[in-house]
Amino acid sequence: MSSKTRLHGTELVDCARANAKQGIETAAYQCGYGDDLNTFAQELRKACEEMNLQAKELTDLIIDQDMMLTLGEGEIVAPDSDSQL
C-alpha cells in the first residue's frame, strides 16, 4: 500500500529499501512521491546522508543478505520453536 503523504528520514529509507527490487518508479510511488522521481531521489539521498548510509543508487539499499536469499545462497539458521531459543 502506498503512503498517502511523502515519507522522509528513516521511514523513506525503509520503504525505498523494501521496494528497491521493483525499480525506482515503484519505490517512488510506494513512498508517496508518485511520478516525481527527481524529488524522491533527492529526499532519499538526503535521508541516507543523515543516516550515514553510503547509497548512491536505489539498488545500493538492497543489502547482501537480501541478495543471498534471492540467489539461493546461504542458509537461514533459526530455532525450531520459540521455546528453543
Side-chain angles (χ1 to χ4, degrees), residues 33-59:
Y33 289 83
D35 294 332
D36 191 357
L37 301 181
N38 289 329
T39 303
F40 169 71
Q42 289 173 345
E43 290 296 320
L44 184 58
R45 256 185 242 111
K46 179 180 167 185
C48 286
E49 286 175 10
E50 291 171 357
M51 295 174 64
N52 292 323
L53 293 175
Q54 301 294 322
K56 295 183 190 241
E57 296 180 7
L58 183 63
T59 55

